[in-house]
Amino acid sequence: MEKYFYLTLDLLSIIFPLLFSFNSRKNFSKKWKYLWPAIFLPAAIFIIWDNWFTGIGVWGFNPRYVTGIYFFNLPIEEVLFFVCIPYACVFTYEAVNYFKKTDPFPDNGRRVTWILIIGLLIIGIKNYNHWYTSVTFLATSVFLVFLITVGKPDYLGRFYFAYLFILIPFFFVYGILTGTGL
């Protein structure tokens, strides 16, 4: 049964958001035509990214907890992770915004983003000898600069508020996958 552990985590991550997607008050499934491309495009990028870092030995997967079905160097569970977790996160974002109608941080979104940019740059530069950390943090900081200077979104306060809720289950699932020695 251990070989289904990661797959079970994927399925438990998506099952409740998927079931509640058909709720009559806020039928999330009506947004699927926008959601699936938004999930699959980044998933393709991160699958390539993951495959590369797995190939160069930055990380790996314990065969004891995966089914043994692989897509390139990645267990199918890792590929599903890039579908299940984003789906659950976007569903949670939509649910939080459904229940909280007003922006709780209307004037602080840009400020928080600049703080994140500076923090990410510092960590990315200080960890230049750790490829994954450095590239991830530097790329995220560049993306955030682009977002607030070119995109200029008006939803950042709502996003950061919902993100606080998204982090709870994410840290739980990700913590199990990475922090327990699996």
Side-chain angles (χ1 to χ4, degrees):
M1 267 334 253
E2 283 181 327
K3 71 179 188 169
Y4 297 106
F5 186 75
Y6 192 171
L7 182 62
T8 301
L9 278 175
D10 283 339
L11 296 177
L12 288 174
S13 296
I14 198 171
I15 190 72
F16 294 108
L18 192 59
L19 291 174
F20 283 103
S21 292
F22 301 98
N23 184 301
S24 60
R25 284 191 283 167
K26 177 78 172 171
N27 192 335
F28 184 65
S29 68
K30 290 183 179 178
K31 296 184 177 188
W32 282 1
K33 64 182 174 183
Y34 308 107
L35 177 67
W36 292 117
I39 287 177
F40 288 127
L41 178 61
I45 293 167
F46 282 109
I47 288 166
I48 292 166
W49 167 275
D50 240 19
N51 189 59
W52 183 58
F53 277 106
T54 302
I56 63 172
V58 172
W59 63 67
F61 302 91
N62 189 332
R64 182 174 165 188
Y65 299 105
V66 296
T67 59
I69 301 167
Y70 283 79
F71 181 76
F72 296 107
N73 289 330
L74 302 177
I76 195 69
E77 295 85 353
E78 180 74 355
V79 174
L80 289 173
F81 178 88
F82 294 116
V83 175
C84 296
I85 299 305
Y87 186 93
C89 289
V90 174
F91 177 85
T92 304
Y93 175 82
E94 288 288 322
V96 168
N97 284 307
Y98 175 78
F99 290 108
K100 180 68 175 157
K101 305 289 187 207
T102 59
D103 187 342
F105 309 124
D107 300 323
N108 293 316
R110 288 182 58 82
R111 191 173 304 130
V112 169
T113 304
W114 279 112
I115 291 168
L116 286 171
I117 290 166
I118 293 166
L120 291 166
L121 282 171
I122 291 168
I123 295 169
I125 292 167
K126 287 186 103 169
N127 287 281
Y128 70 91
N129 56 333
H130 298 101
W131 268 91
Y132 179 77
T133 303
S134 184
V135 170
T136 302
F137 280 55
L138 293 174
T140 304
S141 66
V142 169
F143 171 76
L144 289 176
V145 168
F146 174 80
L147 180 70
I148 63 172
T149 58
V150 177
K152 299 180 182 177
D154 60 355
Y155 56 81
L156 287 174
R158 296 176 70 78
F159 171 78
Y160 289 128
F161 181 72
Y163 191 60
L164 295 173
F165 290 91
I166 292 167
L167 284 175
I168 297 166
F170 182 79
F171 280 144
F172 176 74
V173 170
Y174 203 67
I176 289 172
L177 291 174
T178 61
T180 60
L182 299 180

